[in-house]
């Protein structure tokens, strides 16, 4: 039972597809006879960087899928969002639903939205902890630690946008004009760590960490010192 490789996904790279992908990069990193059997155990958005778990066999993938389905995996993300969040801790429990596309809109853009009475979606829970408040390229921002208990598509992005604090560089949910204000080179969302409660016979609980790429991006807010 081997779930390796666990890789650090760059932002702006698709998990799979026809262009440069994480799958291609992983197969180059692990050039052995097992790599054609690599399977993704979960997903990260195109623009999100960080810890990504892959399995080398169907059996290993099934075991890890079960951990995610039972919600016993612990995922932690780090993000920089627009504005100063006043509370130090937030719990966002709003359901996430597919975006209701109009007749002239393309459905393949994968946008999501908050659930409504007519479009209820699925339950979603995100814990938000403020790490720091400051300034990024002239705009007030907040660095946050995010702990999702569910894994809905675009969950963290939609939840932060719903409270008026979209992720810096996320043109899908804050608009292209807003995203361009800071001139951010990427969407500032990173999968910081993943912990899996593996049975003892498979090595016991494991945790993987991808270094925080946003360590030094915030400047002190006006009126604050060192």
């Amino acid at each position: 039972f081997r779930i390796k490789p666990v890789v650090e996904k760059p932002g702006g790279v698709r998990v799979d597809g026809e262009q440069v992908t994480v799958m291609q990069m992983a197969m180059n990193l692990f050039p052995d006879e097992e790599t054609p059997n690599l399977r993704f155990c979960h997903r990260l958005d195109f623009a999100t960087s960080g810890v990504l778990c892959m399995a080398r066999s169907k059996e290993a993938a099934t075991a890890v899928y079960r951990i995610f389905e039972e919600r016993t995996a612990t995922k932690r993300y780090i993000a920089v969002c627009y504005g100063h969040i006043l509370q130090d801790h937030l719990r966002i429990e709003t359901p996430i639903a597919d975006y209701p596309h109009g007749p002239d809109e393309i459905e393949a853009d994968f946008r999501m939205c908050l659930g409504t009475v007519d479009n209820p979606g699925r339950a979603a829970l995100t814990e938000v902890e403020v790490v720091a408040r400051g300034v990024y390229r002239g705009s007030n921002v907040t660095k946050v630690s995010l702990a999702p208990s569910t894994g809905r598509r675009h969950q963290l992005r939609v939840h932060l946008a719903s409270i008026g604090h979209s992720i810096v560089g996320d043109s899908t949910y804050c608009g292209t004009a807003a995203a361009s204000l800071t001139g951010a080179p990427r969407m500032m969302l990173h999968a910081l760590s993943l912990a899996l409660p593996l049975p003892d016979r498979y090595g016991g609980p494991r945790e993987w960490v991808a270094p925080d790429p946003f360590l030094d991006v915030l400047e002190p807010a006006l009126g604050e010192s060192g």
Side-chain angles (χ1 to χ4, degrees):
F1 178 91
R2 291 195 290 170
I3 63 170
K4 292 182 179 180
V6 172
V7 298
E8 181 178 350
K9 175 189 174 296
V13 176
R14 298 190 185 283
V15 168
D16 51 20
E18 298 179 355
Q19 301 176 347
V20 176
T21 66
V22 174
M23 178 64 78
Q24 293 169 350
M25 296 169 71
M27 292 180 72
N28 289 335
L29 283 172
F30 304 94
D32 59 48
E33 70 281 359
E34 296 184 36
T35 49
N37 297 317
L38 286 174
R39 291 171 169 81
F40 291 102
C41 299
H42 61 123
R43 297 274 172 161
L44 293 180
D45 293 342
F46 168 71
T48 304
S49 59
V51 177
L52 181 65
C53 180
M54 306 169 75
R56 289 188 176 185
S57 70
K58 181 178 180 180
E59 293 76 17
T62 298
V64 178
Y65 293 156
R66 187 176 300 114
I67 289 174
F68 280 103
E69 289 174 355
E70 294 173 351
R71 299 184 184 178
T72 54
T74 301
K75 299 171 287 183
R76 189 163 295 279
Y77 293 73
I78 203 80
V80 179
C81 57
Y82 291 105
H84 285 166
I85 298 177
L86 298 181
Q87 304 97 316
D88 290 333
H89 176 262
L90 291 171
R91 181 182 176 94
I92 306 174
E93 299 183 76
T94 315
I96 302 290
D98 291 330
Y99 184 83
H101 295 85
D104 298 324
E105 293 183 293
I106 300 174
E107 294 190 19
D109 64 5
F110 301 117
R111 278 180 293 170
M112 305 298 285
C113 64
L114 296 180
T116 64
V117 173
D118 296 327
N119 183 26
R122 301 173 67 189
L125 170 61
T126 304
E127 300 281 352
V128 183
E129 292 281 353
V130 169
V131 176
R133 300 176 182 88
V135 174
Y136 176 70
R137 297 191 177 188
S139 295
N140 286 339
V141 295
T142 302
K143 184 176 181 179
V144 291
S145 172
L146 305 168
S149 296
T150 50
R152 310 303 176 216
R153 178 187 292 159
H154 296 184
Q155 175 177 322
L156 304 179
R157 300 162 64 183
V158 172
H159 270 174
L160 285 173
S162 75
I163 63 169
H165 296 283
S166 301
I167 294 173
V168 170
D170 185 0
S171 58
T172 299
Y173 295 107
C174 68
T176 304
S180 67
L181 289 177
T182 57
R186 56 163 293 183
M187 183 177 72
M188 301 182 78
L189 175 62
H190 177 75
L192 186 68
S193 65
L194 172 66
L196 300 177
L198 300 173
D200 290 341
R201 65 182 181 278
Y202 298 137
R206 294 287 304 277
E207 182 177 23
W208 296 269
V209 178
D212 180 358
F214 312 133
L215 280 177
D216 302 312
V217 302
L218 270 65
E219 298 177 357
L222 186 65
E224 294 183 359
S225 58

